[in-house]
Amino acid sequence: MSRIGIMGGTFNPIHIGHLIAANDVQEKFGLDKVLFIPSGQPPHKPDSEVTDQEHRFEMVRLAVASNACFEASRIEIDREGYTYTVNTLLELKKRYGEETSFYFIIGADVVPELKSWREFEKVFRLCEFVAVMRSGFSERSFYSEIQQLEAGYGARIHPVQSRLIDISSTEIRERCMNGASIKYLVHESVEGYILENGLYRGQLENGL
Ligand code: ATP
Ligand code: MG
C-alpha cells in the first residue's frame, strides 16, 4: 500500500515554489514519493508559448535530483498528442496497482479550472487533491470553490496551509527576458541550465 503525490504542470520552468509546496505536502500527508509530471503538449497552451518539452523535463530532472522522495516522470511527455490527467491517472493506476492512493497537488489557481478538465468526475474518483494557497488569490473563494466541488461532484480536496511562496514561472520567464537575475528563485542547477541554453531570452536572442 503506498501513497503517491503527483505534481503536474507545464514547469516552464520549475521554480522553488513548486519544490517547497511538494515538500510541505509530502511531509504533511506522509507520501512515499512525489512524481513531478511535466505536461507534453498542453491542451490549453499553443505550441509557441511552451519551451521545448525536453528542456522543461531536463530542468525538472535537475531540480528534483537531490531529493530521494521526488521523481521526474516522462509519462505525459512520452505520450503522443494532447495529454489529459484522466489518462495519466489511469496509466499510473496500472503501473502502481489499485491499492496505491494518489494525491494530486495543485495551487489555488488550478482549483477553479478543475471542472474544465476532461472527464473531471472520473478524475475525482481516481485521486484526491491537495490544494495549496498561492499569493494573490482570495482565501474565501479558495475554500468556497473547494466546498462546491466536494458537495456537487464528490471531489475530495484537502486544502493545506503551505508556505506562501510568491513565485510563478511567468515571473521567471519575464525576468530572463529582461536580463534580471533568477538566483534563489529556481534551483541552482536550473538557473545554470537556463543560462547555458539561453532559454527565455526572447527578443534578446535576436540581438534586440
Ligand atoms: P505559469 O506562470 O507559467 O502558469 P506556474 O508558476 O503557475 O507557471 P505551473 O507549471 O503552471 O507553474 O504550475 C504547476 C502547478 O504548481 C500548479 O498546480 C500550480 O498551481 C502550482 N504552483 C505553481 N507555483 C506555485 C507556488 N508558488 N506555490 C504553490 N503552488 C504553485
Ligand atoms: Mg500556472
Side-chain angles (χ1 to χ4, degrees):
M1 177 105 174
S2 59
R3 299 155 68 80
I4 295 184
I6 297 173
M7 187 92 198
T10 323
F11 299 121
N12 192 26
I14 186 165
H15 53 71
I16 60 156
H18 297 124
L19 297 168
I20 291 172
N23 198 52
D24 280 348
V25 172
Q26 190 253 325
E27 191 180 275
K28 279 193 178 143
F29 284 75
L31 304 178
D32 299 305
K33 72 163 125 183
V34 179
L35 295 175
F36 285 72
I37 307 186
S39 56
Q41 195 183 1
H44 302 299
K45 298 189 184 177
D47 277 357
S48 57
E49 271 185 36
V50 184
T51 306
D52 177 69
Q53 55 185 20
E54 294 303 334
H55 281 316
R56 291 186 292 108
F57 177 77
E58 187 57 17
M59 291 187 282
V60 169
R61 200 187 62 73
L62 289 168
V64 305
S66 61
N67 187 331
C69 289
F70 286 179
E71 188 179 315
S73 165
R74 293 188 61 88
I75 187 169
E76 294 202 350
I77 285 189
D78 288 343
R79 198 182 305 128
E80 291 284 304
Y82 289 138
T83 51
Y84 294 101
T85 300
V86 64
N87 304 116
T88 302
L89 286 167
L90 288 169
E91 198 172 326
L92 288 173
K93 287 250 169 209
K94 247 193 256 169
R95 282 193 201 176
Y96 288 95
E98 276 304 314
E99 67 288 352
T100 300
S101 316
F102 292 99
Y103 295 85
F104 203 111
I105 304 163
I106 52 174
D109 55 309
V110 176
V111 175
E113 292 175 3
L114 290 179
K115 267 202 306 184
S116 68
W117 286 14
R118 173 169 286 204
E119 295 188 74
F120 67 93
E121 287 178 280
K122 188 167 182 183
V123 170
F124 292 162
R125 288 193 295 275
L126 290 167
C127 69
E128 297 182 36
F129 283 87
V130 180
V132 175
M133 251 321 264
R134 282 186 80 167
S135 58
F137 286 81
S138 140
E139 279 210 25
R140 216 168 133 197
S141 19
F142 177 66
Y143 287 107
S144 82
E145 280 153 8
I146 288 175
Q147 209 273 325
Q148 282 169 29
L149 290 167
E150 292 196 316
Y153 303 96
R156 293 160 294 172
I157 307 177
H158 311 275
V160 293
Q161 286 298 336
S162 171
R163 270 163 264 273
L164 285 184
I165 307 290
D166 186 10
I167 302 178
S168 68
S169 303
T170 303
E171 186 195 352
I172 305 289
R173 294 193 300 274
E174 281 169 3
R175 292 184 69 84
C176 291
M177 189 97 78
N178 296 325
S181 165
I182 53 168
K183 208 176 244 318
Y184 312 124
L185 301 176
V186 297
H187 191 279
E188 205 169 12
S189 57
V190 173
E191 182 195 3
Y193 188 91
I194 290 174
L195 295 175
E196 272 161 33
N197 291 279
L199 302 184
Y200 312 119
R201 284 179 18 196
Q203 292 151 317
L204 289 173
E205 228 163 325
N206 306 325
L208 292 170

